[in-house]
Amino acid sequence: MKDRWIVQVFIISFILSAIFSGLSNFLSDFNVIILFVIILIVIGIGILFDMIGVATLTAEEAPFHAMSTKKIKEAASCITLLKNNTKVSSICNDIVGDICGIVSRRLRC
């Protein structure tokens, strides 16, 4: 079971890094203003995923169980994320966050 998770993380990180690397190579010939906007978007995506990863690690389940009893649909999704907080944090912080950081450094205006 643990080996399967390692393979999944490897595949996800390889695919994401290939996509972002290809995009950064393709976008390197664009105008400076367009590159600046793209860098801001990539940095924003990295920040958003880092926030999601940290939030899943620090949040408590009890308030979301209370929301779930009040029939709030999003609470069930939050509980699922919180029960898998180490995996979510690993994907959000380590994979997506790091890849966005590398791509933002690679795209230079």
Side-chain angles (χ1 to χ4, degrees):
M1 181 70 176
K2 191 170 189 168
D3 295 336
R4 192 176 121 204
W5 168 244
I6 294 170
V7 172
Q8 287 175 339
V9 167
F10 173 76
I11 291 171
I12 290 170
S13 61
F14 182 77
I15 290 171
L16 285 175
S17 63
I19 289 170
F20 282 125
S21 177
L23 282 174
S24 67
N25 286 335
F26 173 73
L27 296 173
S28 62
D29 297 331
F30 277 79
N31 188 358
V32 174
I33 296 171
I34 294 172
L35 284 176
F36 185 72
V37 170
I38 292 171
I39 288 173
L40 288 177
I41 290 170
V42 169
I43 290 172
I45 290 170
I47 291 170
L48 177 70
F49 274 87
D50 282 340
M51 287 179 0
I52 292 170
V54 170
T56 57
L57 282 176
T58 58
E60 296 179 13
E61 276 189 57
F64 296 104
H65 285 293
M67 287 184 221
S68 181
T69 59
K70 295 178 183 175
K71 307 286 190 223
I72 298 175
K73 295 177 188 177
E74 294 82 7
S77 300
C78 292
I79 292 170
T80 304
L81 287 175
L82 292 177
K83 288 187 184 230
N84 298 307
N85 63 356
T86 56
K87 292 179 182 180
V88 172
S89 176
S90 175
I91 290 172
C92 290
N93 292 352
D94 298 334
I95 296 174
V96 177
D98 291 348
I99 290 173
C100 286
I102 291 168
V103 169
S104 67
R105 282 185 227 114
R106 192 169 177 189
L107 285 173
R108 294 186 190 143
C109 294

